[in-house]
Amino acid sequence: MMIAKYTTVSGYPRTRIPGYPDFPVPDHRITGYSLMTLFRIFLLMFIVVLLTGCAKLQYMDQLLTLKAVSDEQTQMGKEIERQDARFERLVAAVEEGSIGKYKDQKSVQHSFGDPVYVTQADGLDVWVYRYAAQFFDSPKVYLYWDQSGQLVQWKYEEGQSNGKIKQEAASKI
């Protein structure tokens, strides 16, 4: 059995006998040097936290603006998807020939939404439907209404390629 003599962190001499518990509890007092080091570490951490918080607050208006723009873009994307789905239902109704069952403007507007363009031609109101975000090479559906708001004719253009209409279908009711 070997008895070890050693010095604690605070400089007090101690004796350690193997196999026996250290009694009283070992000396874990912190010296003045280590207190100063801990103080500097905590001070540095406080300054870092303080400065990063100020950076966030400094640009908070810009961050909120970017978030609002992002939210608006998301909403616009969802609205475009809804309009495109309605247009696809309208194209399916035109291709099936079931567009004739929608006799008045209210029923068409309720089922397929508002048109993207409204004009007049030959004394008739013309409603134009197309995909919401495709402007030039998009299929189009033209619905012609008389003065009493009744559907009298429709026309479907599948799309344009080099200025030529690929397919056109028209029908009078």
Side-chain angles (χ1 to χ4, degrees):
M1 175 183 310
M2 181 174 184
I3 297 176
K5 291 190 177 191
Y6 64 95
T7 306
T8 62
V9 175
S10 57
Y12 297 108
R14 296 287 305 241
T15 304
R16 169 90 170 103
I17 301 171
Y20 290 98
D22 228 3
F23 188 80
V25 183
D27 186 11
H28 291 293
R29 286 183 275 173
I30 299 174
T31 63
Y33 175 75
S34 58
L35 276 177
M36 197 62 169
T37 304
L38 284 175
F39 175 74
R40 287 181 184 159
I41 290 172
F42 285 127
L43 182 64
L44 180 65
M45 288 173 44
F46 178 74
I47 290 172
V48 167
V49 168
L50 183 68
L51 291 179
T52 57
C54 289
K56 286 181 183 177
L57 290 177
Q58 181 181 1
Y59 298 108
M60 186 59 77
D61 290 339
Q62 290 86 349
L63 290 172
L64 291 174
T65 301
L66 286 175
K67 175 143 178 29
V69 168
S70 173
D71 292 344
E72 186 176 340
Q73 290 290 327
T74 302
Q75 290 293 56
M76 287 171 51
K78 288 179 183 178
E79 181 61 29
I80 287 173
E81 288 175 7
R82 279 194 294 270
Q83 288 178 359
D84 287 350
R86 287 179 175 175
F87 177 70
E88 289 171 0
R89 285 197 318 262
L90 176 63
V91 168
V94 166
E95 288 176 343
E96 293 170 0
S98 63
I99 189 68
K101 75 177 184 178
Y102 300 98
K103 296 287 185 185
D104 60 349
Q105 292 177 344
K106 287 183 181 181
S107 64
V108 170
Q109 203 168 16
H110 181 266
S111 298
F112 307 113
D114 294 327
V116 293
Y117 184 69
V118 177
T119 187
Q120 288 191 345
D122 299 329
L124 299 173
D125 290 335
V126 181
W127 287 8
V128 181
Y129 287 88
R130 64 167 167 74
Y131 285 110
Q134 295 178 7
F135 301 108
F136 301 110
D137 195 25
S138 173
K140 293 178 183 68
V141 174
Y142 299 90
L143 301 177
Y144 297 88
W145 306 93
D146 63 9
Q147 297 301 325
S148 63
Q150 299 299 312
L151 183 64
V152 293
Q153 182 181 357
W154 59 266
K155 182 168 83 170
Y156 172 65
E157 294 178 0
E158 188 172 306
Q160 295 184 357
S161 177
N162 297 329
K164 297 180 182 177
I165 297 174
K166 291 182 184 175
Q167 176 185 0
E168 183 176 316
S171 175
K172 285 192 173 189
I173 297 177

